[in-house]
């Protein structure tokens, strides 16, 4: 939905129906291989960077203030965006966009990777990607850790898997609506037509607003909300359980 420059889809359900009708169920999984690889790598880089920086920013009493949480989260997102997200998102976005074209350019993920490397476009749009990931992690980690501190202070015990799942969902909601414009600009900048359409990320954002209005910067928020709510919930729940096992050993 973020790649459409005309009002082809009125809502996420219309997009879903059209994809099934024109591409079959497999169309819903277009770009899945780079997404799976990217998610595994970026989660590892994100949590490792965040935990490392977070420990360095604690005060002498071991406490971590909200601004320091946000700083650690932002740094983790920037590192994650530059090392992992930019190249994998470039491939995923191109594959999805290409499949919507009348004549497809790529035969699959490997062919797409070869072509992107030849064009030198693997890191096209890296600026918006790093900005989006920095903002995402800044908001998500700060929201999650703040909510976690409230729960731990109330119960007097570490959060359970169920509690971590619920807190992760809440953090996902906050993250989506505060960072959606950055995600729209990032997606547009990595599309197949970006090189000739936009001079910079700022030009892209201005063009989107001029063509479709300010609310176009939140286009696609609903499907992204569903994705980030559950992905964040699962990741944080798994993270808490892994850390619990490591502490016991």
């Amino acid at each position: 939905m973020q790649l459409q420059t005309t009002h082809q889809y009125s809502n996420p359900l219309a997009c879903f129906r059209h994809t099934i009708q024109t591409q079959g169920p497999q169309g819903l999984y277009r770009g899945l291989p780079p997404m799976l690889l990217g998610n595994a790598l970026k989660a590892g880089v994100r949590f490792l960077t965040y935990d490392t920086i977070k420990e360095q920013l604690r005060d002498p009493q071991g406490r971590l203030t909200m601004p320091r949480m946000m700083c650690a989260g932002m740094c983790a997102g920037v590192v994650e965006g530059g090392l992992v997200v930019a190249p994998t998102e470039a491939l995923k976005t191109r594959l999805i966009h290409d499949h919507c074209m009348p004549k497809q350019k790529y035969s699959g993920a490997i062919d797409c990777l070869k072509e992107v490397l030849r064009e030198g476009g693997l890191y096209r749009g890296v600026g918006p990607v790093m900005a989006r990931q920095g903002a995402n992690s800044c908001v998500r980690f700060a929201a999650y850790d703040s909510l976690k501190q409230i729960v731990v202070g109330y119960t007097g015990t570490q959060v359970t898997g169920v509690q971590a799942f619920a807190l992760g969902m809440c953090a996902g909601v906050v993250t989506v609506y505060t960072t959606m414009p950055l995600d729209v600009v990032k997606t547009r900048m990595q599309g197949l037509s970006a090189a000739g359409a936009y001079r910079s990320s700022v030009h892209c954002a201005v063009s989107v607003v001029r063509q479709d209005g300010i609310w176009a910067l939140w286009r696609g928020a609903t499907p992204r909300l569903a994705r980030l709510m559950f992905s964040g919930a699962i990741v944080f729940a798994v993270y808490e359980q892994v850390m619990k096992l490591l502490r016991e050993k």
Side-chain angles (χ1 to χ4, degrees), residues 70-226:
M70 296 178 71
C71 179
M74 183 177 65
C75 291
V78 169
V79 172
E80 169 197 359
L83 290 180
V84 182
V85 180
T88 56
E89 287 280 314
L91 295 178
K92 184 191 76 172
T93 302
R94 280 171 174 254
L95 284 169
I96 294 173
H97 197 177
D98 180 59
H99 204 64
C100 297
M101 306 297 285
K103 184 178 180 181
Q104 293 182 28
K105 183 178 180 180
Y106 310 120
S107 60
I110 300 300
D111 182 49
C112 178
L113 175 60
K114 291 178 180 178
E115 185 65 27
V116 170
L117 288 175
R118 278 196 295 268
E119 296 174 356
L122 194 60
Y123 279 88
R124 179 182 295 164
V126 65
V129 170
M130 294 175 71
R132 185 200 67 166
Q133 292 305 120
N136 276 357
S137 292
C138 173
V139 174
R140 185 185 294 187
F141 277 116
Y144 177 80
D145 274 346
S146 297
L147 292 171
K148 179 182 173 181
Q149 287 182 359
I150 294 173
V151 172
V152 171
Y154 180 77
T155 62
T157 61
Q158 290 297 318
V159 293
T160 64
V162 174
Q163 289 171 336
F165 190 91
L167 296 179
M169 291 188 74
C170 294
V173 173
V174 176
T175 302
V176 167
Y177 287 108
T178 55
T179 64
M180 194 65 208
L182 292 173
D183 191 69
V184 171
V185 171
K186 183 277 304 178
T187 303
R188 290 290 187 95
M189 288 293 292
Q190 290 185 323
L192 293 175
S193 60
Y198 309 120
R199 296 190 299 270
S200 65
S201 301
V202 174
H203 179 243
C204 176
V206 172
S207 297
V208 171
V209 173
R210 284 178 176 173
Q211 292 172 10
D212 302 312
I214 188 69
W215 294 113
L217 293 175
W218 278 269
R219 179 180 293 162
T222 301
R224 184 172 178 242
L225 176 64

Side-chain angles (χ1 to χ4, degrees), residues 9 20-21 34 57 103 121 140 144 159 217 231 237 245:
Y9 307 122
I20 293 292
Q21 291 170 356
L57 293 178
K103 184 178 180 181
R140 185 185 294 187
Y144 177 80
V159 293
L217 293 175
S231 66
L245 292 174

